[in-house]
Amino acid sequence: MYTASWRDVVRPGLFGAAPDPRDKPYRFVIRIALVVFRLLRFRFDVRGAEHVPATGGAIICSNHVSFFDFTFLGLGALPQHRLVRFMAKSAVFDHGFAGPFMRAMNHIPVDRKAGSAAFETAVRALKDGEIVGIFPEATISTSFTVKGLKAGAARMAIDSGVPIIPAAVWGGHRVATKNHKVELRRGVPVTVILGEPIVAEPGVQIPALLGRVRTAMEALLDEAQRTYPDQPAGDDDRWWQPAHLGGTAPTPSEAAAADSVRAAGRETRATKRTLGRRISGLLRRR
């Protein structure tokens, strides 16, 4: 287990010997994140960082269970001194506080009504040798299993000629996730696993490549869940475990039904928003 230290926050070689000066804002944000990790005493188990290429483009495809998954996944690229350009909803870039940071870090905004621009930006970044991070489920999985994947990641890999690095992240949902209040508890373990790169062979079809990515992501998530060092403290604490492991999270079919209701605008909403709900709402905009 790795726990961020104050030495990490100020370590000169954290980003390599000669980091790109254009990424100074991104590096500043990472150091701030390390301060938060240190204060909360998160315990990280990062595996497979060697699969991130030291140079050249690649796509990191991960499951999505927490509002903070992108910050945790970024730790998997740091040992190779790489920064990940994450694709995120355009609403985050329009936010008065988060927007300037997202733009300064050269993350990629995604307008779901006109996604071609984001796709072209991501492919161009990949061809330029960047690491692009994608949550191909497109939203947080409330069942804490891998949902159906959007085809964009596979298309990007084929068009850019770069490998896909499947990944899994687990544990951060105990702090902040959809449909649960934010709990800034200390000492939570967070597991990040990066798998072996998947290369798009010449002539491969998108469904076949996407199937390989999904299979790899499911295997990595299962490994992360089954080797996670913490167990629920009691029946009231089983909400963060998937149903197939004895938890009380919705089953995939139940979660899909709830997502359909939400997408159709039929979800019952509370008339009064508590402070916790306001914070959760702000986090959901990323």
Side-chain angles (χ1 to χ4, degrees):
M1 285 286 183
Y2 158 75
T3 301
S5 67
W6 296 121
R7 182 178 298 177
D8 292 328
V9 174
V10 298
R11 179 150 52 96
L14 183 64
F15 304 102
D20 190 328
R22 293 173 296 182
D23 285 324
K24 188 174 182 179
Y26 200 161
R27 296 195 297 272
F28 172 76
V29 170
I30 289 176
R31 292 191 188 276
I32 293 299
L34 289 174
V35 170
V36 175
F37 296 162
R38 176 66 179 81
L39 292 173
L40 293 177
R41 302 293 296 173
F42 286 157
R43 296 179 288 139
F44 292 101
D45 181 6
V46 180
R47 313 173 203 167
E50 69 276 8
H51 295 310
V52 177
T55 60
I59 301 169
I60 295 180
C61 278
S62 175
N63 71 307
H64 199 8
V65 294
S66 163
F67 296 127
F68 301 135
D69 285 341
F70 67 102
T71 64
F72 303 143
L73 281 168
L75 290 178
L78 271 186
Q80 298 285 47
H81 307 304
R82 303 300 305 272
L83 300 179
V84 184
R85 315 296 176 182
F86 284 98
M87 303 187 74
K89 292 187 295 186
S90 57
V92 183
F93 293 78
D94 296 334
H95 189 270
F97 177 77
F101 287 99
M102 296 294 285
R103 289 189 291 272
M105 291 186 284
N106 287 323
H107 292 311
I108 302 171
V110 179
D111 183 345
R112 293 179 178 175
K113 295 181 180 179
S116 60
F119 178 87
E120 292 171 0
T121 300
V123 169
R124 185 164 56 251
L126 291 166
K127 290 182 176 180
D128 288 342
E130 298 279 7
I131 304 288
V132 173
I134 301 176
F135 297 105
E137 297 164 293
T139 186
I140 286 177
S141 169
T142 55
S143 68
F144 306 138
T145 61
V146 178
K147 299 173 57 175
L149 307 186
K150 304 297 183 182
R155 290 175 53 217
M156 288 176 197
I158 292 173
D159 285 11
S160 63
V162 306
I164 294 176
I165 302 170
V169 61
W170 184 250
H173 59 301
R174 296 174 63 193
V175 176
T177 191
K178 186 183 291 185
N179 301 334
H180 292 274
K181 66 179 181 180
V182 176
E183 295 187 18
L184 298 179
R185 62 182 74 186
R186 291 168 59 87
V188 172
V190 177
T191 301
V192 178
I193 308 179
L194 298 147
E196 295 186 2
I198 297 173
V199 178
E201 304 295 341
V204 68
Q205 298 297 308
I206 289 176
L209 180 58
L210 207 60
R212 291 176 60 194
V213 173
R214 181 187 175 93
T215 298
M217 287 173 56
E218 288 176 332
L220 293 172
L221 179 57
D222 185 67
E223 178 184 347
Q225 291 170 337
R226 294 183 185 276
T227 59
Y228 191 68
D230 279 9
Q231 294 296 321
D235 287 344
D236 292 341
D237 192 40
R238 292 191 298 121
W239 66 267
W240 55 270
Q241 288 274 43
H244 71 276
L245 292 180
T248 56
T251 64
S253 59
E254 290 170 342
D259 287 344
S260 297
V261 170
R262 189 176 298 109
R266 300 195 302 271
E267 183 181 24
T268 301
R269 299 182 182 275
T271 57
K272 183 178 180 180
R273 299 181 69 195
T274 64
L275 177 61
R277 288 182 179 273
R278 291 175 182 174
I279 295 174
S280 298
L282 176 61
L283 291 170
R284 285 193 186 97
R285 296 192 65 186
R286 62 154 297 277

